Amino acid sequence: MMKGYYSDTNGEQSEIAASACTTILVGNQVTVDGSFIIARNEDHQAINAKRFNFHPAEAVQSNDFHSIGAMGNDFSYPAAINALQYTSNSDFDTDGTSFGAAGFNSVGVGITATETIFNNAQVLAIDPYVTTTGIGEDAIVNVILPRVHSAQEGVALLGHIIETQGTAEGFGVAFVDKEGIWYLETGSGHHWMAAKIPADKYFVSANQGRLVDYVADHPDFMASKGLIEFAQQHQLPSAENSESFNFHRAYSQDVEHDKTYNYPRVWTLQHLYTDGLTTQIDQGESFPVYLTPKHKLSVHDVMQGLRNHYQATPHDPYTHSNPNEPYRPIAVFRTEHSHVLQLRSQLPTAIGEVQYIAYGMTALSVYLPFYQGMTSVPEALMLGDNKADNHSAYWKFRKLQTLAMMDWNQFSPIVQQAYHDFEQQTAHKQTLMEAQYMTLHVAQPEQAVALINAFEHEMLALALALTEDLTNALFTRLTMDTDKLYNFSGA
């Protein structure tokens, strides 16, 4: 796995294996179509293929959950009774049962898990992570989604697991349903808090705890039992006033590493979406938690945020061919997949909830829409492992991205323009398909489902065909350039 960092009991940073991501959450009052949006880049390893999984409803799940794959601890959880149908985006080596990353279930709850964060050294010295048996990123989607009927119920269940079994790592998790978005952050091995994102704001996070105020006994906040009392008992550096408790100061961390690895991503997104900010890029503690955008945000705006690499600035590592750039960009090559989950409560769940997924590096990939009502997953999405192949969707996208990185300035504009055009064409086709679905879903529900499935298979086939054409075009240009460079004929 890529290297993350935590502060040990002496306040020094050490390397750990961790996924590192960027999260964007948007309330429905500040989106162009009144939808809720939760989105994240999953950044880990370029060769770690992701697979799209469809999990049917089950009266009783066939097996208890046991951590496997990269996390590999001894966390387990009983099989779900009356398990709901849900989707996930799992690592290739987990048989679809682990590292689910994101998905929707059949009653309209969506999750993205997790944003890796780091709690401070003082609190972890008192209540450390339960690395041997606590819940980690690998378990959350596959344990929570089959069980919960609301976003708030998802928060409560995950919080209960953290309190009773502990957490193996620090993380932030977003939940969405038709009532809104909740975001949970760990505080220590057994403590946590969650807040309902204001409907008229957006929120961004980049590998750091971002929640600040906790208000006890308020409907928009939830937390572990004794959260404030624990901080007071152990004299954590919290600032409590008559109205709120500073969760960030007590439980999160701000260290030197954040100034180049985390702060620039949050600062860039906040300044991209909101005008008039005066915050400084290296002063993360001053960044607002929630902001109003300068204009209402679309799914495309969120995608562009997740594609950002400080373009048009001296900190763009790709344009300037600088792998030693100190600012960690949002779009990195090791991204396994990116997802933008959109919930439009005014539409039937089957088409109102859409996962837009880009496989591999966001700045060189295409976002493809996958509707909650899809029941037939295209085979190419269910293939791929840690060795390149000619069959999986993941590796077809990844091969093109690898080629484009050979000459970013020449090749990236070609790929980006082609995928931009494809996304616009796909959006038009979505509008037509959704209108047709609305005429079918009540009187002819089976045909309505078949319509969604046919759309998904066609859309992916077109995307893969375009990707193959682009790959061949780049190969042709590279061949010509190489021929010119090493042509010794003298003629």
Side-chain angles (χ1 to χ4, degrees):
M1 303 177 77
M2 59 78 59
K3 295 295 184 181
Y5 295 83
Y6 74 99
S7 291
D8 62 23
T9 56
N10 297 315
E12 296 296 325
Q13 292 202 327
S14 304
E15 291 185 344
I16 58 171
S19 292
C21 310
T22 306
T23 294
I24 303 174
L25 313 177
V26 189
N28 68 332
Q29 292 180 18
V30 288
T31 56
V32 295
D33 56 3
S35 62
F36 293 104
I37 297 174
I38 64 174
R40 181 172 62 93
N41 284 354
E42 183 185 19
D43 307 331
H44 178 195
Q45 274 190 341
I47 64 169
N48 192 59
K50 300 295 290 189
R51 298 178 180 180
F52 191 102
N53 308 110
F54 175 84
H55 306 269
E58 299 178 87
V60 181
Q61 286 183 322
S62 55
N63 295 298
D64 293 349
F65 179 90
H66 293 280
S67 287
I68 58 175
M71 182 61 65
N73 69 1
D74 291 327
F75 174 79
S76 63
Y77 205 75
I81 308 298
N82 297 320
L84 299 167
Q85 171 188 308
Y86 72 101
T87 57
S88 67
N89 296 275
S90 297
D91 289 4
F92 72 89
D93 58 348
T94 64
D95 296 325
T97 62
S98 185
F99 277 101
F104 281 112
N105 69 19
S106 53
V107 296
V109 180
I111 293 180
T112 175
T114 68
E115 180 72 33
T116 300
I117 65 173
F118 304 98
N119 302 115
N120 68 56
Q122 184 177 349
V123 72
L124 292 180
I126 303 163
D127 182 24
Y129 298 136
V130 186
T131 56
T132 54
T133 58
I135 190 169
E137 176 177 354
D138 63 322
I140 292 171
V141 168
N142 298 83
V143 166
I144 303 297
L145 265 190
R147 290 175 163 84
V148 300
H149 294 75
S150 71
Q152 194 165 1
E153 184 184 352
V155 172
L157 176 56
L158 179 55
H160 173 74
I161 294 172
I162 292 170
E163 290 181 63
T164 56
Q165 296 181 243
T167 177
E169 57 187 333
F171 53 68
V173 178
F175 304 79
V176 65
D177 63 13
K178 64 181 181 179
E179 302 300 327
I181 299 168
W182 282 83
Y183 189 67
L184 177 150
E185 287 183 351
T186 59
S188 62
H190 296 86
H191 282 288
W192 59 276
M193 78 155 284
K196 189 174 185 181
I197 306 300
D200 61 347
K201 305 293 183 192
Y202 71 90
F203 167 95
V204 295
S205 180
N207 297 134
Q208 188 184 31
R210 293 277 298 128
L211 296 179
V212 175
D213 293 329
Y214 169 69
V215 182
D217 302 318
H218 189 286
D220 291 342
F221 295 89
M222 299 172 68
S224 52
K225 184 178 180 180
L227 178 77
I228 298 175
E229 293 77 9
F230 181 88
Q232 293 171 335
Q233 177 187 351
H234 295 285
Q235 299 181 328
L236 300 179
S238 54
E240 186 178 4
N241 57 40
S242 59
E243 296 182 354
S244 65
F245 166 80
N246 193 314
F247 173 79
H248 181 90
R249 192 165 297 166
Y251 289 95
S252 298
Q253 74 169 16
D254 287 273
V255 295
E256 192 67 23
H257 181 64
D258 293 319
K259 293 181 179 179
T260 55
Y261 197 80
N262 301 330
Y263 294 170
R265 287 180 280 159
V266 174
W267 186 92
T268 295
L269 288 172
Q270 290 190 340
H271 283 251
L272 175 67
Y273 295 143
T274 301
D275 287 337
L277 297 179
T278 59
T279 52
Q280 300 300 307
I281 198 168
D282 61 347
Q283 298 176 5
E285 289 184 277
S286 70
F287 297 169
V289 178
Y290 308 113
L291 280 169
T292 302
K294 57 191 173 186
H295 58 72
K296 291 191 174 184
L297 300 177
S298 65
V299 165
H300 176 74
D301 291 324
V302 174
M303 293 172 181
Q304 293 306 99
L306 294 175
R307 285 170 165 148
N308 190 278
H309 48 90
Y310 314 126
Q311 54 267 39
T313 79
H315 291 284
D316 183 343
Y318 311 127
T319 299
H320 301 298
S321 301
N322 181 16
N324 297 315
E325 162 58 44
Y327 285 4
R328 191 271 211 204
I330 295 168
V332 291
F333 188 72
R334 66 171 177 268
T335 299
E336 295 177 348
H337 95 296
S338 175
H339 50 263
V340 179
L341 273 62
Q342 180 188 35
L343 190 151
R344 298 172 292 175
S345 58
Q346 73 274 21
L347 294 174
T349 300
I351 59 169
E353 298 185 352
V354 191
Q355 291 185 73
Y356 292 87
I357 298 176
Y359 290 97
M361 185 183 190
T362 50
L364 293 171
S365 193
V366 59
Y367 280 94
L368 307 174
F370 299 101
Y371 286 86
Q372 193 271 355
M374 178 178 69
T375 60
S376 174
V377 181
E379 184 181 16
L381 296 176
M382 299 184 288
L383 301 174
D385 54 27
N386 60 351
K387 296 180 180 179
D389 63 59
N390 297 320
H391 308 290
S392 67
Y394 182 86
W395 277 107
K396 289 182 180 182
F397 292 121
R398 183 59 85 184
K399 286 179 179 180
L400 173 62
Q401 293 159 19
T402 304
L403 273 180
M405 291 295 286
M406 299 297 291
D407 189 334
W408 174 272
N409 290 321
Q410 180 184 183
F411 294 150
S412 67
I414 298 171
V415 175
Q416 290 169 351
Q417 184 62 55
Y419 278 157
H420 171 76
D421 294 344
F422 184 88
E423 288 175 354
Q424 288 194 322
Q425 294 162 9
T426 301
H428 176 67
K429 293 176 181 178
Q430 286 179 260
T431 300
L432 298 177
M433 186 277 289
E434 290 175 7
Q436 190 175 356
Y437 178 91
M438 294 298 292
T439 67
L440 292 173
H441 77 283
V442 175
Q444 298 173 290
E446 292 183 1
Q447 289 189 29
V449 173
L451 176 71
I452 292 176
N453 288 332
F455 172 83
E456 301 291 8
H457 283 259
E458 178 187 12
M459 176 271 307
L460 180 63
L462 291 172
L464 293 180
L466 171 60
T467 301
E468 184 175 346
D469 288 344
L470 288 168
T471 301
N472 288 335
L474 266 58
F475 259 119
T476 300
R477 287 184 178 233
L478 277 172
T479 302
M480 292 170 62
D481 291 345
T482 304
D483 186 44
K484 292 175 182 177
L485 184 63
Y486 291 103
N487 189 329
F488 301 117
S489 67

